[in-house]
Amino acid sequence: MPIVKPFMNSLKFSSIAGNGTGTGPGYTILATAFTTDTGIAATAFPSSPAYYNLYINGQIQTADTSTITTAAITIPDGDTLSPATPIVIEIVVN
C-alpha cells in the first residue's frame, strides 16, 4: 500500500519564453525571471518537489520536455518559441 502524504501544496510560477537564455538543448529560464502566484518576484524554485507541471502557452507538457532545479528550468529548444509565449510552472511540494 503506498504512503499518502498528509499535506501537499501547489505553488505556481509564471514568466515568458523571452526571459530565457541559451540555445537548443541548453535553453534555460532562471527562477529569478519568474513571478510567484502571489505576484512577487521568485528567488528560487522549491527543492525536492513531489512533482511539477510545465505549461507552455497554456498547454501542459510531457515529462520529457524539461528539467528543473532550484535555480532554473531547462526547456530544450525553448529558444524556438515566440518570446511572448507564456511559461507557467506548477510545483507540488510536501
Side-chain angles (χ1 to χ4, degrees):
M1 173 187 232
I3 297 174
V4 177
K5 301 285 184 179
F7 177 77
M8 305 283 279
N9 187 27
S10 171
L11 305 168
K12 294 170 190 71
F13 300 85
S14 61
S15 189
I16 56 172
N19 288 338
T21 59
T23 59
Y27 183 79
T28 61
I29 305 174
L30 297 177
T32 55
F34 285 82
T35 56
T36 67
D37 52 357
T38 60
I40 61 172
T43 55
F45 296 130
S47 60
S48 304
Y51 67 90
Y52 72 95
N53 292 315
L54 170 65
Y55 298 86
I56 298 177
N57 204 22
Q59 182 68 38
I60 193 165
Q61 303 297 303
T62 58
D64 62 345
T65 306
S66 64
T67 55
I68 195 168
T69 66
T70 57
I73 186 164
T74 300
I75 305 169
D77 298 321
D79 57 318
T80 61
L81 298 169
S82 169
T85 302
I87 306 292
V88 176
I89 305 169
E90 176 185 35
I91 301 176
V92 177
V93 294
N94 301 336

